[in-house]
Amino acid sequence: MSQDATLKRNGLLTALRHAATDEDRAGPCNILLAGPWGAGKTTLLEGLGETIKKSNASIHVFVFSPWNTAADGDPGKAFLRVLHGELVRAREQLQQQNDGNIATRIDGYLDILQDLLKQNDVRAILDALVPGGKPLAIVVGGLAGLARKLLGVRNGSTEPSGIEGLREKIRQLLDDVRYAHGKQRILLLVDDLDRARPEEAISILDDLYHLFLPHTEDIETWPLTSVWAVNTAVLEEYLYREYRDLPSFDPNAYLEKLFSQRINVPPLFYVGGEDGDRNEAYWLWQGDLQKRQEKLDGINVEEVAFALTRDVNYAILGNLRLHARLRRDCLRLWTGGTRLFPLVTQADYVRQARLLTLVDAFAVFRERIAPYNGMWPVFLNQLNRRWAEQAVDWIANPLYRHTDSPDLATLLKDLGAIRYDGDRACYALIPEGRLKLQAELNILWTRGV
């Protein structure tokens, strides 16, 4: 978790670890680790898993990513593969113990899973298991097929197969897994649900909740706690698309039903003023500059880092991956064998960091607008029209999405290419500023930056 330490996010990791392992609660729960893309959720989730494995001997951890397993097609089938791997490891652990009953049960689970995974489509197995060939109404997909097989339901059987019976069989399976590993509980970490296709994301969320995750009525006996790292804005949009025909459907209320705790991960941000406050962005700039100080003509690292933190402060750089890319490209520009631009003052560092922000963050503007004189008036007219309108969906052509970003307008204003005309309440072009910016961008592009 070196990145977490650099970002001063140990407080978030502590809160997450406490939520996932707090034994003072009545029992396990489902935790939502919420934040925008690039805010560091995966880093925190990985840090939680590493910390638990090293420091908590009573919890067994396993991880599932619907996006990483997308090649399996059906997300339920992908989860069955992950579960199969967990059962294989549990069986290996039991070889060191003397409990024939649990070993026999785990062998049975493995046989059922192998049978299901032989099929090209897990849902076809489910259809074959239900009398009359009609799909199960409560839950669908590979997980329900597994649960019904565990329950022993066959074609024509009159044995009840309600959700309580299905969950009881899954609970016993989870109990056997934790016992095989010598643990008291299981921690399931789910990442990148919001990067899966919408219908698959909702399918795995619903199936896991109905079958594998703790519910209020059985938390005292359920052996599993789950933590989901999710961009909630994206997931709520997925949910709305899936259930929008339901009267008064509220995605946020839906998530509140599923998750009893929520930990919010902030984006990379700057809070401070002229008093010299330091924060996450400062420490990242300062750390990178410090490592390369010998190639930066003896700059005052603290002052330059603070200037960059204060003056290259755009919301789009709240994304940690984009911020890391900007810092990397800046260091390439500033420490290369032949510098493309002079570095004399702090203002030089700030301007060049802004240029690279434009290059890294706004691909459409970089490729389709900035190089062409005739596109600038069109861009400004569209920008002013969009800001004057109240429409939510401003861009009809997907190629030009994000060119309406307030960050882009502010960045071009900071670079001196446009100005805001308060009398006319619109943006206006500064011809000489545009020419200077195009010349600078041309230098970067001809060197492949």
Side-chain angles (χ1 to χ4, degrees):
M1 278 296 291
S2 59
Q3 185 181 10
D4 179 76
T6 302
L7 291 174
K8 310 299 181 185
R9 291 193 168 182
N10 289 322
L12 278 174
L13 182 59
T14 299
L16 182 59
R17 184 175 66 248
H18 180 77
T21 62
D22 186 3
E23 298 178 358
D24 295 333
R25 287 194 312 267
C29 65
N30 304 310
I31 302 165
L32 184 64
L33 183 63
W37 279 338
K41 300 185 298 300
T42 296
T43 300
L44 284 167
L45 203 66
E46 291 173 350
L48 174 65
E50 293 170 4
T51 302
I52 296 298
K53 290 175 183 177
K54 292 177 181 178
S55 64
N56 198 314
S58 66
I59 298 178
H60 175 64
V61 179
F62 73 94
V63 181
F64 174 56
S65 168
W67 188 51
N68 286 344
T69 56
D72 269 331
D74 187 312
K77 187 174 181 179
F79 184 79
L80 292 186
R81 292 194 186 280
V82 173
L83 186 61
H84 184 274
E86 287 297 322
L87 287 168
V88 168
R89 285 185 282 275
R91 188 66 180 85
E92 292 171 352
Q93 291 293 321
L94 283 173
Q95 291 178 354
Q96 306 172 16
Q97 304 178 31
N98 186 20
D99 195 320
N101 290 332
I102 292 183
T104 299
R105 286 203 299 269
I106 288 182
D107 285 339
Y109 303 149
L110 287 169
D111 289 341
I112 290 173
L113 277 168
Q114 288 165 1
D115 184 36
L116 287 171
L117 291 170
K118 286 178 183 177
Q119 306 300 316
N120 291 327
D121 186 355
V122 178
R123 294 178 188 273
I125 284 292
L126 177 62
D127 292 342
L129 290 171
V130 179
K134 296 180 181 179
L136 186 64
I138 299 174
V139 284
V140 297
L143 305 186
L146 169 64
R148 288 175 65 78
K149 274 242 178 184
L150 292 174
L151 197 59
V153 176
R154 293 294 184 270
N155 286 340
S157 172
T158 58
E159 185 175 352
S161 58
I163 193 68
E164 295 82 6
L166 298 177
R167 283 180 59 81
E168 176 57 27
K169 283 296 181 181
I170 294 297
R171 184 198 63 76
Q172 185 176 45
L173 182 153
L174 294 172
D175 262 334
D176 289 345
V177 169
R178 69 154 184 84
Y179 178 86
H181 286 282
K183 308 293 185 179
Q184 297 297 317
R185 294 164 57 191
I186 294 173
L187 180 63
L188 170 63
L189 306 180
V190 183
D191 195 14
D192 286 328
L193 181 73
D194 44 53
R195 296 183 187 276
R197 287 188 288 269
E199 66 279 3
E200 294 179 347
I202 300 307
S203 173
I204 198 67
L205 178 66
D206 284 348
D207 287 1
L208 279 175
Y209 175 74
H210 287 299
L211 288 172
F212 273 77
L213 304 188
H215 292 183
T216 304
E217 61 270 17
D218 54 20
I219 58 174
E220 294 185 3
T221 60
W222 204 258
L224 179 142
T225 288
S226 70
V227 181
W228 300 61
V230 174
N231 183 334
T232 50
V234 173
L235 186 57
E236 287 180 8
E237 178 63 23
Y238 286 180
L239 287 165
Y240 180 75
R241 287 177 54 180
E242 184 73 15
Y243 296 113
R244 61 189 172 205
D245 292 334
L246 296 179
S248 304
F249 177 74
D250 183 351
N252 186 60
Y254 186 95
L255 293 177
E256 287 182 356
K257 169 68 176 176
L258 271 59
F259 299 98
S260 58
Q261 294 198 49
R262 174 171 174 157
I263 295 176
N264 295 312
V265 182
L268 188 67
F269 62 98
Y270 172 78
V271 179
E274 300 301 330
D275 58 353
D277 289 349
R278 301 297 190 262
N279 58 33
E280 292 179 338
Y282 168 80
W283 292 113
L284 290 172
W285 279 116
Q286 190 266 355
D288 285 352
L289 292 171
Q290 190 75 47
K291 293 175 184 176
R292 308 296 290 273
Q293 186 173 11
E294 70 281 359
K295 294 187 177 182
L296 293 172
D297 299 332
I299 65 167
N300 186 313
V301 167
E302 286 72 22
E303 290 182 2
V304 172
F306 185 63
L308 291 166
T309 304
R310 181 192 60 216
D311 297 330
V312 188
N313 179 26
Y314 304 102
I316 198 166
L317 294 177
N319 183 308
L320 289 174
R321 282 187 289 272
L322 183 57
H323 201 278
R325 182 169 147 198
L326 171 65
R327 300 195 315 274
R328 179 200 66 203
D329 288 348
C330 282
L331 287 173
R332 281 178 55 206
L333 180 65
W334 296 338
T335 62
T338 303
R339 289 184 181 172
L340 305 183
F341 302 103
L343 287 171
V344 179
T345 66
Q346 289 182 18
D348 295 329
Y349 287 91
V350 168
R351 182 169 182 87
Q352 291 173 33
R354 286 171 172 169
L355 284 172
L356 288 171
T357 301
L358 188 66
V359 169
D360 286 346
F362 298 100
V364 171
F365 185 85
R366 176 190 74 217
E367 296 168 1
R368 297 178 177 271
I369 297 170
Y372 309 107
N373 294 342
M375 287 301 299
W376 280 80
V378 175
F379 163 71
L380 275 181
N381 287 337
Q382 289 291 99
L383 179 67
N384 288 323
R385 182 173 65 83
R386 289 193 295 272
W387 280 103
E389 293 176 352
Q390 297 301 316
V392 175
D393 188 10
W394 285 329
I395 301 294
N397 185 341
L399 289 176
Y400 290 95
R401 284 178 185 158
H402 310 303
T403 56
D404 60 330
S405 166
D407 274 351
L408 178 55
T410 302
L411 184 54
L412 292 174
K413 183 173 176 290
D414 289 345
L415 286 166
I418 65 175
R419 62 183 177 85
Y420 186 74
D421 189 329
D423 293 335
R424 295 189 297 159
C426 67
Y427 287 101
L429 185 66
I430 302 175
E432 61 275 17
R434 185 208 69 195
L435 292 173
K436 179 181 178 182
L437 176 59
Q438 286 179 308
E440 291 170 322
L441 292 176
N442 187 60
I443 293 173
L444 294 176
W445 292 333
T446 55
R447 300 296 182 91
V449 177

